[in-house]
Amino acid sequence: MEGPLSKWTNVMKGWQYRWFVLDDNAGLLSYYTSKEKMVRGARRGCVRLKGAIIGIDDEDDSTFTITVDDKTFHFQARDTEERDKWIHALEDTILRHTQSYSLQTKWNEVCISSSLHDFDKKLTEADAYLQMLIDQITSLDITINNCTSDADRCLLSSIRDNANGVLEAVKHSIVLLQIAKNTTHPVNGVYTSYNLPKNSGAITHSNTTGKISGKGHIKAMECNSNINVDSAIECREDINMEKDLPTNLNLIVPETSYSSSDDDDDDFFDANDDAVISMQNTNVETVNADESTVARRHSSSQRLTTQDYDALYEDEEEELGSLEGQGSVISHLLSQVKIGMDLTKVVLPTFILERRSLLEMYADFFAHPDIFISIPDFDNPKDRFVQVIRWYLSAFHAGRKSSVAKKPYNPILGETFRCFWHIPNVKEEDDTPKKVTDGPVPWATRDHLTFIAEQVSHHPPISAFYAEHVNKGISCSAHIWTKSKFLGLSIGVQNIGEAIINVLKHNEEYVLTFPSGFGRSILGTPWIELGGAVTVTCAKTKYYANIEFITRPIYGGKKHRINAQLFYDEEKKPFLTVTGEWNGIMETKGANGETEVFVDTRTIPIIKKRVKPLVEQEEYESRKLWKDVTTALRIRNVEAATEAKYMLEQKQRQEAKQRLEDKTKWETRAFHLNNEHWYYDKSLQVRLQDKENIEQSGLDNST
């Protein structure tokens, strides 16, 4: 098979037209810059198909991948029909050559552990099975001829045709096994004869010196056609092999798949101390941290400080649509990463970054602070639990600024983020608002919901955050660390950790876990979906919930589905079931079968968080740390964004190296570890307990 396809080259050049030729006999997919170059034999590159894996994405009906030799090649057809034709032809070739390879590999193992006599014995057994298969097909053919039902005859004919295909494969395998034997153990340089069973209708291989005819065929010297089968199994005259096949029968194919230097996929580096990825006008290059480079980067960073940084965060993220024009999101990585590979250290190109830190993204869990702080207002523990679930299920949609999946900045160790929410219709009891000077956000008042987050660990990358509302007496303490894996045509992110909600008024504690995230359709327009089972439990009230974030099925089905079941104690039936979409409408069904809206994320308002102006922020606060990267991304200066990002990462490496040399440990700023859970040092519970202790101490002294 031959014809035009587009091949992904690199981020700068994107998709390039190429003329492809599939050689089924050689198991090779070669490509040329044009059909004329193909005629001249100017091959641009090739893909070995032995052991290769075909990959497709149901979100994109024209692209497919071939993974082999630790590389992934990306191709694009004109439409689904053309892609399917190529995939079917490629799969047939892969199957043929992979089976042959497997047989030869097994033969090598047999050679080590057993004698040639044992091998010949196995071949004889194979011949016997072959003869049994032939007899069965003969019997089946007689049955077909005697069949009176057209439907039965059609069904049996289909079975017979499939059996004939198996027969041909078995015959071919036996010949290949004999060839492998003769190649590794020739007798005086002459290939020994091998006769398939009598009346087999299969190929027999007579003595030959291994010479190949001008057309590149191994001639079959004998063919027995004494088979009484009406559908006559065709006796092959030859076995078509590689045209330039040498006398030792080793196919002339490259030792590994390759592309020309111009077509090489972009290089890939782990984020280690020696190399990082830098995107220069969407080119990937290795950056060496010498003094002149650092000075140049610092100079570029300083030129960006005249921007209005605070306003940058008020802008909505632009919709990029399909990113294929920029080389798709991470296609320059796919050529090197392997299935199941941990992506924790992978440095992604800056043009796919969201303009904020992951710490700031976690604050979006409280985009509906009015729902969160209303939890203590319910007198019934059942109603409070239902409100916890309502807040939890509404907490995920606000984290996505765009329908296109983009990645927030990986926080730097010690980085912090602080903000608060002014909640409508919630007023101070006193005319003069009281600031909580000993709280996480000292300039916020008692009726503000305040939030603080810190990157408390780098390996693994753990983020801890804490939120509280003083007047309502409610807080939330959480820690999350992510474990990312490459899954082929998507990326999976497992969120490990938990959140604990404390309702002081009722002395209740709710423990929540987090769903996993998946980046889908990474070769086209990437999108995010959540998946996996999570739980919400309250040990005191004995209420609990099992929530399933349902990923979209391969064929059909809807995205972003959830199913939540709420239980009490040991009751087997849930007292409430919630279904719908976590970024849309979620409904409950009552005992009478009627449904009602549980929460509609499309209509409930998102309350914006309030952040201190950049000039008043501390050095390690997120927006101040990432200001140069954010500005450069906003004006689409990829080079400047990468330089600024590199400066931060390099500084972190240098600090880690210095701590290693000094044998010192990193000291967290606002959180501490206790029994595998990270807690805020000055939580509302701690401050109230300290106040109570002081008052008790004063009372004792007075007494």
Side-chain angles (χ1 to χ4, degrees), residues 273-310:
D273 290 340
D274 302 320
V276 295
I277 291 180
S278 177
M279 299 288 294
Q280 300 283 357
N281 296 325
T282 67
N283 283 319
V284 180
E285 66 176 15
T286 306
V287 181
N288 296 319
D290 53 26
E291 294 181 0
S292 61
T293 302
V294 173
R296 177 174 58 85
R297 295 180 186 279
H298 182 69
S299 175
S300 175
S301 173
Q302 290 298 315
R303 291 196 298 271
L304 300 174
T305 59
T306 59
Q307 300 290 331
D308 183 3
Y309 298 109
D310 297 313

Side-chain angles (χ1 to χ4, degrees), residues 417-633:
F417 177 78
R418 292 184 290 181
C419 67
F420 70 93
W421 290 265
H422 177 75
I423 305 167
N425 302 321
V426 175
K427 297 181 180 180
E428 281 278 357
E429 295 178 358
D430 301 330
D431 294 335
T432 304
K434 296 179 180 178
K435 292 185 178 181
V436 187
T437 56
D438 56 350
V441 183
W443 53 90
T445 71
R446 295 172 56 88
D447 260 328
H448 288 147
L449 179 65
T450 56
F451 176 91
I452 184 172
E454 178 184 351
Q455 190 69 9
V456 295
S457 173
H458 185 59
H459 294 297
I462 302 176
S463 303
F465 62 83
Y466 172 81
E468 70 174 30
H469 192 282
V470 176
N471 277 350
K472 293 287 188 177
I474 185 173
S475 66
C476 177
S477 178
H479 71 280
I480 301 178
W481 67 279
T482 59
K483 194 172 184 180
S484 306
K485 283 190 176 181
F486 177 61
L487 304 177
L489 293 177
S490 62
I491 293 176
V493 181
Q494 182 182 4
N495 291 309
I496 303 171
E498 64 181 18
I500 299 176
I501 298 175
N502 282 285
V503 182
L504 303 185
K505 177 181 177 181
H506 303 285
N507 194 27
E508 293 172 353
E509 187 175 271
Y510 302 86
V511 181
L512 310 86
T513 58
F514 303 102
S516 297
F518 298 91
R520 305 297 194 191
S521 190
I522 57 181
L523 290 180
T525 303
W527 55 281
I528 289 289
E529 72 171 336
L530 302 178
V534 301
T535 59
V536 181
T537 60
C538 181
K540 179 182 178 181
T541 64
K542 298 182 180 180
Y543 285 99
Y544 68 96
N546 296 326
I547 305 173
E548 181 76 21
F549 287 81
I550 305 168
T551 57
R552 200 191 70 169
I554 296 177
Y555 299 105
K558 295 182 179 180
K559 300 178 182 178
H560 314 309
R561 305 290 294 176
I562 64 103
N563 183 286
Q565 293 184 319
L566 282 61
F567 298 87
Y568 173 70
D569 201 8
E570 297 182 356
E571 292 181 355
K572 295 183 178 180
K573 290 186 178 181
F575 67 84
L576 186 68
T577 298
V578 182
T579 59
E581 301 172 353
W582 56 263
N583 60 352
I585 299 176
M586 288 165 271
E587 298 177 327
T588 62
K589 182 177 290 188
N592 57 1
E594 294 183 358
T595 60
E596 63 179 59
V597 175
F598 186 68
V599 60
D600 185 354
T601 62
R602 301 175 306 176
T603 59
I604 56 176
I606 293 178
I607 300 176
K608 288 188 177 182
K609 56 183 174 290
R610 302 189 181 189
V611 183
K612 205 170 190 178
L614 190 93
V615 293
E616 300 178 24
Q617 292 185 14
E618 297 177 0
E619 180 184 359
Y620 269 82
E621 292 197 59
S622 295
R623 292 190 176 182
K624 194 164 189 174
L625 269 177
W626 295 96
K627 65 181 187 300
D628 293 341
V629 181
T630 301
T631 303
L633 288 177

Side-chain angles (χ1 to χ4, degrees), residues 194-215:
Y194 174 69
N195 295 314
L196 289 172
K198 184 178 180 181
N199 294 333
S200 69
I203 305 167
T204 59
H205 191 240
S206 300
N207 290 349
T208 174
T209 59
K211 294 183 179 180
I212 309 302
S213 68
K215 292 184 178 180

Side-chain angles (χ1 to χ4, degrees), residues 235-292:
C235 178
R236 293 186 180 178
E237 183 181 356
D238 49 47
I239 302 176
N240 198 352
M241 304 293 279
E242 171 70 13
K243 294 181 179 180
D244 299 322
L245 190 66
T247 56
N248 65 359
L249 297 181
N250 289 325
L251 300 179
I252 294 182
V253 295
E255 293 184 359
T256 185
S257 306
Y258 71 90
S259 298
S260 71
S261 58
D262 292 336
D263 278 357
D264 282 341
D265 290 328
D266 292 326
D267 292 333
F268 169 87
F269 300 98
D270 279 341
N272 52 32
D273 290 340
D274 302 320
V276 295
I277 291 180
S278 177
M279 299 288 294
Q280 300 283 357
N281 296 325
T282 67
N283 283 319
V284 180
E285 66 176 15
T286 306
V287 181
N288 296 319
D290 53 26
E291 294 181 0
S292 61

Side-chain angles (χ1 to χ4, degrees), residues 175-392:
V175 173
L176 286 175
L177 285 171
Q178 183 63 33
I179 291 174
K181 172 189 172 183
N182 295 342
T183 302
T184 55
H185 292 80
V187 180
N188 297 325
V190 178
Y191 294 105
T192 58
S193 62
Y194 174 69
N195 295 314
L196 289 172
K198 184 178 180 181
N199 294 333
S200 69
I203 305 167
T204 59
H205 191 240
S206 300
N207 290 349
T208 174
T209 59
K211 294 183 179 180
I212 309 302
S213 68
K215 292 184 178 180
H217 302 310
I218 303 175
K219 291 296 182 182
M221 306 304 295
E222 179 180 349
C223 182
N224 192 320
S225 60
N226 297 324
I227 299 181
N228 186 20
V229 180
D230 292 342
S231 60
I233 303 172
E234 181 180 359
C235 178
R236 293 186 180 178
E237 183 181 356
D238 49 47
I239 302 176
N240 198 352
M241 304 293 279
E242 171 70 13
K243 294 181 179 180
D244 299 322
L245 190 66
T247 56
N248 65 359
L249 297 181
N250 289 325
L251 300 179
I252 294 182
V253 295
E255 293 184 359
T256 185
S257 306
Y258 71 90
S259 298
S260 71
S261 58
D262 292 336
D263 278 357
D264 282 341
D265 290 328
D266 292 326
D267 292 333
F268 169 87
F269 300 98
D270 279 341
N272 52 32
D273 290 340
D274 302 320
V276 295
I277 291 180
S278 177
M279 299 288 294
Q280 300 283 357
N281 296 325
T282 67
N283 283 319
V284 180
E285 66 176 15
T286 306
V287 181
N288 296 319
D290 53 26
E291 294 181 0
S292 61
T293 302
V294 173
R296 177 174 58 85
R297 295 180 186 279
H298 182 69
S299 175
S300 175
S301 173
Q302 290 298 315
R303 291 196 298 271
L304 300 174
T305 59
T306 59
Q307 300 290 331
D308 183 3
Y309 298 109
D310 297 313
L312 296 178
Y313 291 91
E314 301 303 323
D315 295 343
E316 293 294 330
E317 290 278 343
E318 64 274 13
E319 292 282 351
L320 295 181
S322 175
L323 296 179
E324 290 176 357
Q326 300 200 54
S328 83
V329 180
I330 59 169
S331 56
H332 73 288
L333 299 178
L334 298 185
S335 62
Q336 299 297 327
V337 296
K338 299 178 181 180
I339 301 295
M341 177 178 177
D342 186 354
L343 299 181
T344 302
K345 294 185 178 181
V346 172
V347 179
L348 296 178
T350 51
F351 70 81
I352 68 165
L353 293 178
E354 189 172 322
R355 297 196 308 268
R356 58 176 180 165
S357 171
L358 182 62
L359 295 185
E360 182 169 350
M361 183 176 176
Y362 286 142
D364 287 334
F365 276 122
F366 302 93
H368 303 296
D370 50 337
I371 300 178
F372 178 74
I373 68 168
S374 67
I375 294 172
D377 296 341
F378 293 87
D379 295 329
N380 189 305
K382 179 180 179 180
D383 294 335
R384 288 194 295 273
F385 184 78
V386 171
Q387 190 70 354
V388 169
I389 302 301
R390 180 176 283 106
W391 166 77
Y392 182 75

